[in-house]
């Protein structure tokens, strides 16, 4: 059985919900770790929080595992809360 996980880089900006919880605005893919950091850095002033991650993505299920934070600014929840598409 072959491991179908691939490394991907993503950026997730967050907004504050009406009850104060943090909600993802979108999940933006990036081609490289440097690109993800650059995009997250550029978005930092427009959102309550933003983070760039390196994740293992399973294209068969859409699941993301083993998140590694590359850049974080502001309020950012644990990625596991938003790890599935």
């Amino acid at each position: 059985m072959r491991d179908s996980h691939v490394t991907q880089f993503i950026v997730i900006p967050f907004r504050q919900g009406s009850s104060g919880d943090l909600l993802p605005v979108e999940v933006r893919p990036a081609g490289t770790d440097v690109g993800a950091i650059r995009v997250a850095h550029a978005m930092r002033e427009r959102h309550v929080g933003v983070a760039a991650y390196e994740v293992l993505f399973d294209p068969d299920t859409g699941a993301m595992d083993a998140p590694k934070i590359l850049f974080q600014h502001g309020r950012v929840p644990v990625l596991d809360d938003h790890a599935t598409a």
Side-chain angles (χ1 to χ4, degrees), residues 60-77:
D60 296 332
T61 65
M64 289 183 241
D65 296 312
K68 175 183 170 189
I69 294 176
L70 303 172
F71 173 85
Q72 176 178 324
H73 180 81
R75 295 179 53 212
V76 175

Side-chain angles (χ1 to χ4, degrees), residues 8-13 28-46 49-55 68-73:
Q8 287 196 336
F9 305 99
I10 59 170
V11 178
I12 306 176
R28 295 187 58 176
T32 65
D33 57 346
V34 172
I37 293 167
R38 190 173 295 142
V39 169
H41 192 268
M43 299 175 86
R44 74 188 186 285
E45 298 302 323
R46 297 188 309 263
V50 64
Y53 300 95
E54 176 183 319
V55 296
K68 175 183 170 189
I69 294 176
L70 303 172
F71 173 85
Q72 176 178 324
H73 180 81

